[in-house]
Amino acid sequence: MAKPKTKILVIDDDPKVAWILKEGLESKFNFVSARDGIEGLQMVSTEKPNLILLDIKMPGMNGIEVLEKLNKMEKRPDVIMVSGQGDTNSVVDSIKLGAAEFINKPFDLQEIEIHINSVLERNTLKQEVEELKSELEIKSGWSNFIGDSQAMQKVKDIIEQVSDSELTVLIRGESGTGKEIAARSLHQLSSRSDKPFVKVNCAAIPRDLLEAELFGYNKGAFTGAHRDKQGRFELAHTGTMFLDEIGDMPLELQSKLLQVLEQQEFVRVGGNNTIHVDTRIICATNRNLEQGIVDKSFRDDLFYRLNEITLLLPSLRERPEDIALLADYFIEKYNKLYGKEFQALSGDIMSALTIFSWPGNVRQLENMIKQVVVRGDESIINDLINSAGAIPANTSQPVAVGAGVGYGAVSPYFEGEQTFSLKKRIGKTVAEEEKRLISEVLTRTNWNRRRAAEMLEISYRSLLYKIKDYNLNSVK
Ligand SMILES: Nc1ncnc2c1ncn2[C@@H]1O[C@H](COP(=O)(O)OP(=O)(O)OP(=O)(O)O)[C@@H](O)[C@H]1O
Ligand SMILES: [Mg+2]
């Protein structure tokens, strides 16, 4: 489809002006015209022009007055002033009022076209910047941290409560549960949000380089240190430092980190001066740090200092209610990214996603949906689930401590299973097993009894009887 032509409103008491413009430039722009300021202002609302050519000298309301009125509008088109001889003062006034350009009468058509195009180009650029800005603003809110389940609501509540405090937060949870998003949200919701957020992945940087990376070095500190260099802690001054995979921090650096936490100061590698920093520290790990303390690979004093608040992110299998929401979010994300138009997933595929055990959590779901969108074929989910089901689930279950939300691990009973049919799963019905299965399916479906009955492959009525018989209660 051809792009609609730019609409230009000409406000001039001399009808010749609009006529000349139409004659000369009608193939490029769409002109509408008004003979005075009042009519012009009305047409701004009715015609919604992209640009206004505004004569300064007009009987009744002059161009400057029109511009003042336009400025009172919430959003107005750009204005090019058309001035005659001797209008110097008015030109200065209109600069102050924010006119985009000036053209002197009598004008040359080619010159006027150049002026119009330059204003339009600037406008497009401005729009692009605004779009980018609002995209960033949305990103900085909750809009990219998806989850409505009770478990996620609790996580978001804790983030909101502690974001603006100076408490050190330790974020725990299995791989792919969103620890990094949680850290960024903590920063975004704090009063440091317009200051730097600096991330260091302690597992990704070789041990012998980590100290220089974190704390910087002075010239001559080691071979190759040809000049002084700031470390990441200095870059994070006034902002937030996110130490990812803190469980991998070498023991010898842990005491230096403790000093930063306790005194907000440190010395660069090879340096003599003490450097002070004001930085809020957030850490994340999927390791069992308590075990590290027992093994003497993690300092207990550091653990307690880092752990003023623990934020434990639930695994995806603990919040199956969020799967549909996340799937829709990723479909939209990758449709946009790859210019695709994949619609929604079918009910069958959604059921398969709901009962899968998700060893790789949200990251695994995101990758699956990405492939579905790119290939435009949802049936690949079955193959992906089958092959992933063969991989054992993440075994590094975090331990719930502190202010964490305290989720228990889901029983291994469900790992990799694809059916909840009582007959297929249990063979002969053992009451205890039956009760356990029903109660897990009810939790997974967020107590949607119809869905649970379908998954269990029993009738709705018989599920209701069983709920009563086994005395199962929704905790919601
Ligand atoms: N709640 C969520 N909403 C939207 N996207 C999410 C959510 N949780 C995780 N993701 C996405 O899943 C991927 C993994 O998330 P993230 O990197 O935060 O996980 P992690 O817990 O830090 O994992 P690891 O321990 O492996 O580093 C990212 O692409 C992230 O955008
Ligand atoms: Mg991470």
Side-chain angles (χ1 to χ4, degrees):
M1 213 170 62
K3 226 173 109 190
K5 272 195 276 184
T6 301
K7 191 189 265 187
I8 299 177
L9 170 62
V10 183
I11 308 178
D12 200 313
D13 59 314
D14 179 357
K16 277 205 303 294
V17 172
W19 185 84
I20 294 170
L21 288 168
K22 265 190 205 162
E23 282 295 297
L25 298 171
E26 198 160 34
S27 60
K28 299 185 173 139
F29 309 108
N30 179 10
F31 289 99
V32 285
S33 57
R35 297 279 297 274
D36 60 49
I38 298 191
E39 191 193 357
L41 286 168
Q42 277 166 358
M43 285 179 76
V44 174
S45 314
T46 52
E47 294 286 337
K48 301 198 184 345
N50 307 94
L51 189 77
I52 301 173
L53 285 180
L54 178 58
D55 187 23
I56 291 185
K57 218 180 244 168
M58 287 188 290
M61 197 187 285
N62 68 31
I64 301 293
E65 290 166 312
V66 175
L67 188 54
E68 277 171 345
K69 291 236 169 357
L70 283 169
N71 280 350
K72 294 208 172 91
M73 293 180 161
E74 205 181 320
K75 219 176 154 214
R76 66 155 170 86
D78 276 327
V79 177
I80 297 181
M81 301 303 279
V82 182
S83 62
Q85 303 209 323
D87 281 343
T88 326
N89 286 343
S90 310
V91 168
V92 175
D93 286 344
S94 41
I95 292 177
K96 289 188 193 150
L97 290 169
E101 290 269 351
F102 298 89
I103 300 166
N104 287 317
K105 276 190 203 170
F107 49 72
D108 170 82
L109 275 179
Q110 220 177 354
E111 180 197 359
I112 213 165
E113 190 186 344
I114 292 172
H115 281 294
I116 291 174
N117 282 331
S118 111
V119 172
L120 291 175
E121 262 167 38
R122 261 185 277 159
N123 211 354
T124 317
L125 204 73
K126 215 161 71 193
Q127 252 174 24
E128 279 172 8
V129 170
E130 304 240 301
E131 273 166 25
L132 254 159
K133 234 170 78 187
S134 73
E135 216 172 277
L136 272 173
E137 273 158 19
I138 292 170
K139 275 194 181 143
S140 63
W142 285 127
S143 59
N144 67 340
F145 198 25
I146 309 300
D148 266 355
S149 58
Q150 253 184 340
M152 279 305 284
Q153 213 47 63
K154 237 171 172 170
V155 167
K156 289 181 179 178
D157 285 349
I158 298 177
I159 291 179
E160 271 173 9
Q161 286 155 11
V162 304
S163 57
D164 217 10
S165 73
E166 292 297 295
L167 293 170
T168 306
V169 181
L170 177 61
I171 307 173
R172 311 184 75 170
E174 291 176 20
S175 181
T177 46
K179 295 187 289 298
E180 185 164 339
I181 299 193
R184 287 182 191 276
S185 306
L186 276 164
H187 173 73
Q188 285 301 339
L189 292 171
S190 78
S191 52
R192 295 171 180 261
S193 62
D194 56 342
K195 299 288 184 325
F197 174 89
V198 177
K199 175 189 158 184
V200 175
N201 185 335
C202 303
I205 301 175
R207 296 172 83 88
D208 37 338
L209 296 185
L210 188 58
E211 183 176 10
E213 194 61 39
L214 284 172
F215 302 105
Y217 54 82
N218 277 4
K219 187 176 166 182
F222 45 82
T223 334
H226 300 301
R227 54 183 177 88
D228 293 356
K229 190 171 180 259
Q230 284 192 325
R232 303 273 186 107
F233 266 110
E234 281 173 77
L235 299 176
H237 180 56
T238 70
T240 303
M241 171 63 115
F242 174 45
L243 295 171
D244 203 3
E245 316 283 1
I246 187 73
D248 290 79
M249 175 165 281
L251 201 53
E252 55 283 10
L253 280 190
Q254 291 177 19
S255 51
K256 200 159 174 177
L257 175 61
L258 193 62
Q259 196 192 356
V260 181
L261 281 158
E262 292 188 333
Q263 279 129 31
Q264 287 83 48
E265 60 185 37
F266 60 88
V267 178
R268 281 186 187 166
V269 179
N272 299 314
N273 300 336
T274 302
I275 294 171
H276 292 268
V277 279
D278 161 25
T279 177
R280 200 262 180 94
I281 296 181
I282 300 173
C283 301
T285 185
N286 58 12
R287 288 215 181 187
N288 185 339
L289 295 182
E290 289 80 353
Q291 191 53 47
I293 295 174
V294 175
D295 301 343
K296 303 237 180 300
S297 62
F298 207 84
R299 289 179 70 120
D300 56 351
D301 46 5
L302 179 62
F303 174 74
Y304 294 115
R305 192 63 186 72
L306 291 177
N307 197 10
E308 288 174 334
I309 294 285
T310 290
L311 190 64
L312 179 56
L313 293 189
S315 66
L316 191 51
R317 62 186 169 279
E318 285 168 290
R319 50 183 187 108
E321 317 88 278
D322 285 338
I323 290 174
L325 212 61
L326 282 160
D328 286 347
Y329 169 75
F330 292 133
I331 288 174
E332 204 189 317
K333 174 175 166 180
Y334 289 106
N335 270 341
K336 255 196 208 145
L337 197 66
Y338 297 116
K340 303 277 179 182
E341 283 177 4
F342 186 83
Q343 295 299 309
L345 295 167
S346 67
D348 280 355
I349 293 290
M350 268 318 303
S351 294
L353 293 180
T354 310
I355 60 174
F356 181 55
S357 60
W358 299 110
N361 293 293
V362 184
R363 181 182 288 114
Q364 189 178 17
L365 175 64
E366 179 169 2
N367 287 340
M368 266 190 206
I369 302 288
K370 183 158 76 175
Q371 293 185 55
V372 167
V373 171
V374 171
R375 292 170 61 181
D377 175 10
E378 67 165 25
S379 71
I380 61 170
I381 282 192
N382 286 322
D383 302 337
L384 290 170
I385 281 183
N386 285 335
S387 56
I391 300 164
N394 190 321
T395 46
S396 55
Q397 287 285 349
V399 185
V401 280
V405 272
Y407 299 103
V410 165
S411 95
Y413 188 73
F414 277 83
E415 300 301 337
E417 283 293 346
Q418 302 300 313
T419 174
F420 287 85
S421 160
L422 280 176
K423 266 196 221 125
K424 285 180 208 148
R425 288 286 296 271
I426 298 170
K428 48 185 188 302
T429 306
V430 179
E432 216 182 335
E433 282 293 280
E434 186 175 84
K435 181 178 171 185
R436 197 167 118 193
L437 181 60
I438 291 171
S439 114
E440 271 217 63
V441 174
L442 283 167
T443 310
R444 274 164 191 271
T445 56
N446 206 13
W447 273 78
N448 180 333
R449 294 165 180 80
R450 287 206 183 275
R451 289 248 358 248
E454 274 168 33
M455 285 164 67
L456 288 160
E457 294 183 15
I458 57 176
S459 74
Y460 180 62
R461 266 166 69 95
S462 96
L463 175 64
L464 295 187
Y465 281 125
K466 284 177 197 295
I467 289 174
K468 204 154 164 276
D469 280 354
Y470 290 134
N471 205 14
L472 296 170
N473 293 311
S474 159
V475 280
K476 293 207 327 166

